[in-house]
Amino acid sequence: MMDITILFEILKGIGRFFINPLFYIAILSAIFLGYRRVKRERRFFHTRILDGWSELKNMLLMGFVLSLIISLFSVVIGLTVSLELLVAIFLVSLIGLVLYLYHVLSPIIVMTLAFCAIVWIDWQDWSYSIWGIDLAGRNVVEGLVITVPVLAGLLLMAEGILIRRNGAKFASPIVEKTKRGMNGVAYYSKQLWLLPLVTIIPGDGIQNFAPYWPQFTIGAEQFSLIIFPFVIGFQQMVRQKLPMYVYPQMGGSIVLIGELVLIVGLLAYFVPVLGAAALALGAISRTVIGVYYSRSEDRNSYAVIRSEKGIMIASVLPDSPAEKMGLIAGEVIKKVNGQLVLTEDELYSALQINAAHCRLEVLDHSGEIRLTQHVVHSEDNHKIGLLIVR
């Protein structure tokens, strides 16, 4: 009977996930991201690469499997969180979304700021009431010393995986002027991911402001279930190297930091002070990674810039003839149907020579020439799907 009760409360907890305002604020933010990206791409290239809803679909779908894994792990090891922690995470995430500061929305930054806020409340012996919720740091900090770093480590690993898999996919090209007056292309990736995590709150504190909230009992202890929308944000600009090389490397480094934070957080069970050390180590390391990649991107050095060897590709539209030919950003088209091409007009004129069997000579990222071909209908030669550096 207890198993049926727990299952029933889980189902009710899932339903109440949708009453959290952070969920809807994240949706609006993702829609705004898509709108800004499409507007920017049309300004530089007169077309958009992905539709304006792509950021929203990416946010809702890409983190779902990871959220299941983290939720399962948390439940298995008996990880519980306090209501105070969730409120603090909500407020930090809200500020990051509203101010458009997605650097702040790295899980380790959010969790560290939330933990510091609760420690400060405890130190000052303060108490607050927000939306009918009574918050106090007293008797809460000790239990969070283990919970926060473990959860932060898991979410930081998820952030690294998401960046590694999706960072380059949503990197939008931006045309910039170099110091020599040439057009160079930078790539800007700004994304959100939503991870609905099952969180367990011990005690009956949540009943004080939400008596209808689902609860279950194990032994003499009462627990409440909340499906909480953890929002992960990411933003990074790259110039010197292509996104397909930078973001997987960056994501891998973040995964390693997450693993370290998780291990040290678990050791906090035996030495509590290690919990705070894990958060500090993670927050500093994640900040250093962001600063390192930002400062290494000199505005006078571009991986994608107008080339004297041919047509430099800035991006390729999905499902286009160019994508089917295997063309990617950063490659240089030297010849089209045997004709040397240096300008956009020369490119499209050469395409008309033999559109039914179009042959291209392309200089790849290694500087090697490769051949590719595909059918391009004569009436669609301007729809080949290439965004080039003019």
Side-chain angles (χ1 to χ4, degrees), residues 36-311:
R36 289 285 301 271
R37 176 186 54 77
V38 169
K39 186 177 180 180
R40 182 173 61 243
E41 290 171 353
R42 284 179 172 160
R43 183 171 79 249
F44 290 123
F45 300 100
H46 308 294
T47 188
R48 48 93 172 152
I49 300 173
L50 299 172
D51 67 68
W53 299 101
S54 297
E55 278 78 2
L56 178 60
K57 291 183 285 188
N58 175 66
M59 183 191 76
L60 295 176
L61 298 177
M62 292 300 104
F64 184 72
V65 174
L66 290 171
S67 66
L68 288 179
I69 295 172
I70 296 175
S71 295
L72 180 61
F73 182 84
S74 301
V75 171
V76 168
I77 67 172
L79 203 65
T80 60
V81 300
S82 70
L83 187 59
E84 287 83 356
L85 176 64
L86 293 184
V87 172
I89 291 173
F90 171 86
L91 293 175
V92 173
S93 300
L94 179 63
I95 292 171
L97 287 171
V98 171
L99 297 182
Y100 211 51
L101 299 175
Y102 290 4
H103 289 118
V104 178
L105 295 179
S106 173
I108 188 65
I109 304 297
V110 172
M111 299 294 281
T112 301
L113 291 175
F115 180 74
C116 289
I118 294 175
V119 170
W120 178 263
I121 292 174
D122 179 44
W123 183 49
Q124 296 292 331
D125 196 22
W126 290 343
S127 62
Y128 294 94
S129 180
I130 302 177
W131 302 311
I133 307 174
D134 293 327
L135 305 177
R138 196 183 319 166
N139 301 323
V140 173
V141 173
E142 184 176 349
L144 295 181
V145 169
I146 301 172
T147 297
V148 175
V150 170
L151 191 55
L154 291 170
L155 288 169
L156 192 57
M157 291 168 61
E159 180 192 8
I161 293 171
L162 290 167
I163 293 173
R164 188 166 57 190
R165 291 180 179 176
N166 302 286
K169 188 183 301 182
F170 288 85
S172 179
I174 298 174
V175 179
E176 298 179 335
K177 284 290 184 182
T178 68
K179 293 180 180 179
R180 303 163 97 182
M182 301 177 64
N183 286 336
V185 176
Y187 293 88
Y188 188 47
S189 185
K190 190 161 188 172
Q191 302 176 55
L192 290 173
W193 295 290
L194 187 71
L195 275 66
L197 298 188
V198 177
T199 56
I200 302 176
I201 300 177
D204 57 356
I206 198 170
Q207 295 290 303
N208 295 332
F209 76 98
Y212 54 84
W213 204 271
Q215 278 198 319
F216 61 93
T217 303
I218 298 179
E221 187 74 21
Q222 281 190 318
F223 297 91
S224 301
L225 284 177
I226 292 181
I227 313 298
F228 188 85
F230 280 87
V231 179
I232 297 178
F234 170 71
Q235 65 181 72
Q236 194 73 40
M237 180 89 76
V238 296
R239 296 183 182 90
Q240 290 187 353
K241 296 181 181 179
L242 290 163
M244 62 186 298
Y245 301 122
V246 175
Y247 294 135
Q249 182 183 33
M250 184 180 186
S253 300
I254 294 173
V255 169
L256 289 177
I257 295 174
E259 292 172 348
L260 181 60
V261 171
L262 175 61
I263 292 171
V264 177
L266 291 172
L267 292 176
Y269 180 81
F270 306 101
V271 184
V273 71
L274 289 178
L279 289 175
L281 174 65
I284 293 172
S285 299
R286 179 62 182 90
T287 302
V288 168
I289 287 177
V291 172
Y292 169 78
Y293 279 95
S294 295
R295 293 202 169 181
S296 64
E297 298 300 323
D298 184 4
R299 287 183 65 93
N300 202 38
S301 179
Y302 291 84
V304 177
I305 193 170
R306 185 168 181 174
S307 174
E308 297 179 354
K309 299 177 181 179
I311 302 292

